Amino acid sequence: MFKKVLIANRGEIAVRIIRTLRKMNIKSVAVCSTADRDALHVKMADEHYCIGDPPPVSSYLNMQAIIKAAIDSGAEAVHPGYGFLAENPEFARKVQEAGLVFIGPDPFASETMGNKTRARKHVSEAGVPIVPGTEDIKSIHEAVEFAEKVGFPVIIKAASGGGGIGMKIVNRREDLESAIEEAQNRAKQAFGDATVYIEKYVSNPHHIEIQILADNYGNTIHIFERECSVQRRHQKVIEETPSPFIDINKVEEMGESAIRAARSVNYKNAGTIEFLVDDKKNHYFLEMNTRLQVEHPVTEMTTGIDLVEWQIRIAAGEKLNLSQPQIKREGHAIECRIYAEDPVRFYPSPGLIKKYSEPSGENIRVDSGVYEGFKVPMYYDPLLAKLIVWGKTRDEAIERMKYALDNFIIEGPKTNIPFLREMMEFPEFVEGRYDTHVIERFFQWKKSK
Ligand code: ADP
């Protein structure tokens, strides 16, 4: 096993990784930007290296500086967390070339899955259902032909997209051309790649994903699903498992598709296959995230499996000692993402945390990256913490979440806690009959109250 691991990330996920490293008696090395010198992950790590100025390009995306810190510290492996360089095949390759172990899949997997049209083609050839769509759009003619064949609305997406950015829904033929141009410009700006493609717009879908683990010896298992349909601007806010929408037979069927998708790129380590599920419960591959997901704790809470520990074990060459029939789950887990943001308009709200107190109690887990007195920098994602609860039943989990949200005190930056608390009362959520448009309907419900 490794003796020392560098974490190429910040915030709650860096802290969460350090926790497992400690449990495994592995020394942790943090990296930070100059804006993060007092950050929690820096305080918690056994040692730290300041790698650059606050903008991510100078620090958390600065491959050279991170790899130098790893070498200087004597770390043997690098855990990338999520975001930043986690899915960058060039980084994984450079880490390996420096003689270090990258805690994640081989660069080939992230390279193939990192491009949406390439990934769709790849998994489709392996027999995984995909949302009907085009390849990279080269002419308006192709776009019109496809849209007229499947019918409007359609959704334009960036081939290199992520984070819900650059998607555009088109309802009418006459809007298609200008929408493509706009999407290309946004894609170019956000990802440096103007390539877009078109998918059929699935109405009122569910976003349900499957967690997988794969070792270096050909063992690939799935660890059930996560329902991630509570989204704002196509980004997740609340996740839960089991999904209230599908039964275990459907989960098994999706699990098989997920394993097939993972095997198609010879996947190793932890990964997630995201699916859209339509109202008839057909599932379609959306994308594969070749890293740890933000919402992984709900899987951990219901299965007792430490996913970060398995990421590290697999990277160190250990065999998965879990076989598919051994993977069992119990009860229900819900996660709320606590953001420093305006609870109505969802704008980031960084700044000094004047007061901070976490809820505690049985079956309540808080994965936090902040503390009282910390100044939340403006340069990064405004996720402060994740609140995860477990209950024997879904109703019990919701009740516990209400209690936990009521007892989570954060003063200084605005947070979305009031929004999350109200969601726990929204009939559609409480009854578990929501889809990806639930937040729009939540605001209509609030207005009508
Ligand atoms: P990103 O990689 O930018 O996060 P995804 O492809 O994962 O984008 O999609 C994010 C969300 O956007 C989905 O969870 C879903 O809510 C919505 N979405 C994406 N594609 C479609 C589609 N074809 N039809 C309907 N909704 C979609």
Side-chain angles (χ1 to χ4, degrees), residues 72-373:
D72 290 351
S73 70
E76 301 129 288
V78 174
H79 195 307
Y82 58 69
F84 294 123
L85 296 167
E87 292 177 286
N88 186 319
E90 192 189 334
F91 181 60
R93 210 165 273 135
K94 284 194 168 149
V95 166
Q96 291 173 347
E97 281 165 10
L100 303 159
V101 176
F102 180 75
I103 302 180
D106 283 338
F108 168 70
S110 45
E111 203 143 54
T112 308
M113 291 300 185
N115 179 289
K116 291 191 191 228
T117 37
R118 199 185 306 147
R120 281 162 54 81
K121 191 159 186 279
H122 202 84
V123 303
S124 161
E125 281 167 5
V128 179
I130 57 172
V131 186
T134 65
E135 297 196 4
D136 297 341
I137 284 291
K138 293 191 191 66
S139 73
I140 178 71
H141 175 71
E142 281 172 71
V144 172
E145 198 176 44
F146 172 78
E148 284 181 344
K149 193 176 86 201
V150 297
F152 286 90
V154 293
I155 182 166
I156 307 171
K157 295 168 98 169
S160 302
I165 301 161
M167 278 182 272
K168 185 117 186 86
I169 299 159
V170 185
N171 291 305
R172 304 179 316 171
R173 157 77 183 89
E174 51 269 43
D175 298 334
L176 195 57
E177 194 158 2
S178 59
I180 289 174
E181 270 171 33
E182 195 188 319
Q184 283 170 332
N185 288 338
R186 289 219 55 195
K188 177 86 191 156
Q189 245 175 25
F191 312 109
D193 170 15
T195 315
V196 299
Y197 71 104
I198 305 184
E199 276 178 14
K200 177 182 168 57
Y201 185 69
V202 181
S203 62
N204 299 93
H206 283 246
H207 175 121
I208 302 176
E209 58 189 30
I210 302 280
Q211 175 70 52
I212 63 117
L213 273 182
D215 67 13
N216 304 337
Y217 309 94
N219 303 303
T220 307
I221 55 168
H222 79 80
I223 315 179
F224 304 107
E225 86 286 17
R226 290 182 289 258
E227 168 76 61
C228 306
S229 297
V230 183
Q231 303 179 348
R232 50 129 176 70
R233 281 191 239 105
H234 304 300
Q235 285 174 342
K236 303 159 190 168
V237 196
I238 302 174
E239 303 94 350
E240 63 177 315
T241 188
S243 162
F245 185 61
I246 52 174
D247 63 19
I248 192 67
N249 293 328
K250 185 69 204 178
V251 174
E252 290 302 337
E253 192 191 328
M254 289 171 66
E256 272 170 37
S257 287
I259 289 174
R260 213 179 259 264
R263 287 222 164 106
S264 78
V265 285
N266 195 17
Y267 198 82
K268 296 177 192 107
N269 216 282
T272 294
I273 294 83
E274 299 187 333
F275 295 98
L276 278 188
V277 181
D278 70 14
D279 50 3
K280 295 187 187 66
K281 308 207 173 170
N282 298 306
H283 67 283
Y284 306 97
F285 172 88
L286 202 52
E287 65 169 343
M288 177 167 191
N289 289 326
T290 54
R291 54 164 164 86
L292 188 66
Q293 295 279 87
V294 179
E295 58 275 18
H296 75 277
V298 293
T299 301
E300 298 185 327
M301 293 283 271
T302 44
T303 60
I305 294 170
D306 181 334
L307 288 167
V308 173
E309 181 178 338
W310 273 110
Q311 286 194 292
I312 296 165
R313 288 191 184 285
I314 289 169
E318 276 190 32
K319 239 185 188 160
L320 260 179
N321 67 359
L322 305 158
S323 66
Q324 194 64 59
Q326 284 174 309
I327 309 293
K328 300 265 189 287
R329 67 172 165 191
E330 209 190 318
H332 199 98
I334 306 178
E335 172 181 280
C336 284
R337 300 188 186 192
I338 314 286
Y339 285 104
E341 69 180 15
D342 181 290
V344 178
R345 281 170 302 171
F346 301 128
Y347 293 145
S349 169
L352 178 70
I353 300 186
K354 294 190 188 125
K355 206 165 167 202
Y356 183 83
S357 171
E358 292 174 356
S360 59
E362 217 179 330
N363 300 319
I364 296 175
R365 165 173 166 180
V366 181
D367 281 19
S368 171
V370 298
Y371 57 90
E372 189 167 300

